Amino acid sequence: MRFDSIIIGGGIAGLCAGLRLAEAGQKSLIMASGQSALHFSSGSVDLLGGEGDPRTALPDFIDRHPEHPYARVGHANVLASLDDLQRHCAAEGLILTGGERNHRRLTPIGTLKETWLSPDTCAIAGDTPQPERLMLATLEGFRDFHPALAAANLANQPGFANTRILTGELRLPQLAEFSRNPHEFRSADIARLCDRHDLLADLAREISRLMHEAGGHCHHLVLPACLTLGLVGERLSELEKRTGCTIREVATMPPSLIGMRLQETLKRRFIALGGTYLTSERVQGAHCANDRVIGLYSQNGEDVLFEADHFILATGSFFSRGLESRLRGIREPIFGADVLSDPERDAWAGRRLFSHHPFMGFGVKTDERLRVLRSGQPLTNLFGAGSILAHYDPIAEGSGSGVAVATGWQAAGHILESAR
């Protein structure tokens, strides 16, 4: 099986690379091993943490971190990659909104997380004054969002001192089918039920009941993201019309439907542009000749070689098994690529939970063009992208998804330059 380009990994880095290649007319294949980290994410896209406009902070950040993936991509290209992501998502009906500065997205535990782009259905704390009353509600029996906990934490956030934060539960008799097995009572299970049955009338009645019991003066509601597996905008708009409330959603504990929607949106767009997406096709090894990759072998056996002119390694970090942790270091299992690590395992983590952890910066080494290094030399047609890369800390920097988008997009750009 031969393609122009093959991307290993179906997360946001691989999908952003695939979108750029497919739109340019390349015959492109994404080989995904299964669920990506997007299934566990908020669905928001970070650029750099901190207050203010991260775009203006980026040039100085790049100057201070010359080996950072953002430095490999360049300031202008980082911003172009995020614009391209918004454009592709909008083409499929998912609107990612931002502003002139980072906004604060509500988390499932009631804290506020600074981020750059979020779906327009998400609950965020904007610059306008907060409402006098805000209702945080869940579905009766749902364990992955606790309004009382979220309300207690949100009440301590700046800007909410004058907001009365209420909590409540929506009671839907249709959810009784989960009562015999509470382990199935997750956001995805509820969403499937909502997709099978029209529950809008029942939800609207329950929302109206909650608001009436709150005294009738509350018109702002936050719900856990569990009303559909697909895009939720139309469903929320209909509920708003029926109840007279402003309704937003918050990502739940995993599985996160907001992250899953972003995954499916990008995947759907990639396929619409002519790309091929293979699920549960874990790459086990590669056939290389000197400094070039010839093809890939998957878990389905070595009798099929997936060949291409160019390849992108976007298999993720430890969570996605793109990197493997060993007693004396880490390894990249497909190509045996050079990795940044520390042989002394005691030095991998900081002494405090929320301190700096050096292992967060471990990963695959690349040259300035994001070509993966092996034995100190670049594999000339293999590019790295996303969280498998070394020299950055996605948590401390607030840069995780931004790096994934930018490096995937830029790796595709290098391939297109080579193909000219």
Side-chain angles (χ1 to χ4, degrees), residues 65-115:
H65 303 86
E67 293 186 297
H68 194 280
Y70 279 156
R72 301 279 199 250
V73 175
H75 177 243
N77 288 329
V78 171
L79 301 185
S81 71
L82 293 168
D83 289 342
D84 223 28
L85 174 68
Q86 286 181 279
R87 177 176 64 85
H88 284 300
C89 287
E92 293 294 325
L94 177 62
I95 307 302
L96 296 178
T97 61
E100 297 302 313
R101 54 187 296 169
N102 278 333
H103 58 268
R104 296 179 298 160
R105 174 184 51 80
L106 180 65
T107 74
I109 61 171
T111 56
L112 296 174
K113 168 70 168 61
E114 291 170 341
T115 190

Side-chain angles (χ1 to χ4, degrees), residues 50-346:
E51 297 182 355
D53 189 342
R55 297 171 300 182
T56 61
L58 192 57
D60 179 64
F61 180 86
I62 288 173
D63 288 342
R64 289 185 286 108
H65 303 86
E67 293 186 297
H68 194 280
Y70 279 156
R72 301 279 199 250
V73 175
H75 177 243
N77 288 329
V78 171
L79 301 185
S81 71
L82 293 168
D83 289 342
D84 223 28
L85 174 68
Q86 286 181 279
R87 177 176 64 85
H88 284 300
C89 287
E92 293 294 325
L94 177 62
I95 307 302
L96 296 178
T97 61
E100 297 302 313
R101 54 187 296 169
N102 278 333
H103 58 268
R104 296 179 298 160
R105 174 184 51 80
L106 180 65
T107 74
I109 61 171
T111 56
L112 296 174
K113 168 70 168 61
E114 291 170 341
T115 190
W116 179 239
L117 298 173
S118 292
D120 62 352
T121 58
C122 288
I124 65 171
D127 295 329
T128 58
Q130 302 305 319
E132 292 183 5
R133 295 191 179 196
L134 175 65
M135 173 73 73
L136 306 183
T138 190
L139 296 167
E140 187 178 32
F142 185 52
R143 299 180 176 184
D144 293 337
F145 178 63
H146 298 277
L149 172 64
N153 287 326
L154 187 59
N156 293 323
Q157 297 294 328
F160 286 85
N162 298 319
T163 298
R164 183 182 176 190
I165 304 174
L166 309 170
T167 62
E169 288 186 333
L170 305 176
R171 306 184 192 111
L172 294 178
Q174 295 88 344
L175 299 180
E177 69 176 65
F178 299 121
S179 61
R180 287 174 292 182
N181 189 353
H183 298 289
E184 292 182 353
F185 198 35
R186 298 295 185 222
S187 57
D189 301 307
I190 299 170
R192 291 188 189 97
L193 181 68
C194 292
D195 288 337
R196 287 200 308 267
H197 307 286
D198 185 3
L199 302 183
L200 285 179
D202 297 307
L203 281 167
R205 279 194 297 269
E206 277 296 289
I207 291 169
S208 297
R209 177 188 62 79
L210 277 185
M211 297 311 187
H212 176 74
E213 292 177 356
H217 302 292
C218 184
H219 303 286
H220 299 274
L221 174 67
V222 175
L223 295 175
C226 60
L227 299 185
T228 178
L229 291 174
L231 299 181
V232 76
E234 290 186 6
R235 198 160 289 186
L236 290 184
S237 295
E238 181 61 27
L239 284 174
E240 288 180 338
K241 290 177 184 177
R242 296 190 185 201
T243 63
C245 297
T246 298
I247 304 176
R248 294 293 181 266
E249 61 176 0
V250 60
T252 66
M253 298 299 181
S256 168
L257 290 192
I258 303 181
M260 292 166 64
R261 290 177 197 147
L262 179 58
Q263 165 100 33
E264 290 304 309
T265 296
L266 297 177
K267 176 181 172 182
R268 190 166 58 247
R269 177 69 171 165
F270 173 68
I271 294 172
L273 291 171
T276 302
Y277 191 102
L278 297 181
T279 305
S280 300
E281 197 74 47
R282 179 175 292 277
V283 174
Q284 301 284 60
H287 173 46
C288 300
N290 299 320
D291 62 352
R292 289 186 61 82
V293 180
I294 306 300
L296 306 171
Y297 299 106
S298 78
Q299 62 189 13
N300 295 322
E302 295 189 1
D303 55 331
V304 177
L305 184 66
F306 293 86
E307 298 180 86
D309 297 322
H310 296 93
F311 300 82
I312 295 177
L313 181 64
T315 46
S317 188
F318 302 100
F319 178 79
S320 302
R321 296 168 60 187
L323 297 172
E324 293 182 351
S325 173
R326 302 288 174 146
L327 184 62
R328 301 296 294 177
I330 66 171
R331 65 184 288 265
E332 186 282 308
I334 298 174
F335 299 96
D338 295 346
V339 295
L340 175 68
S341 182
D342 191 321
E344 296 299 325
R345 198 177 182 94
D346 286 346

Side-chain angles (χ1 to χ4, degrees), residues 8-24:
I8 314 169
I12 193 168
L15 283 162
C16 286
L19 285 168
R20 190 175 187 188
L21 293 170
E23 191 170 45

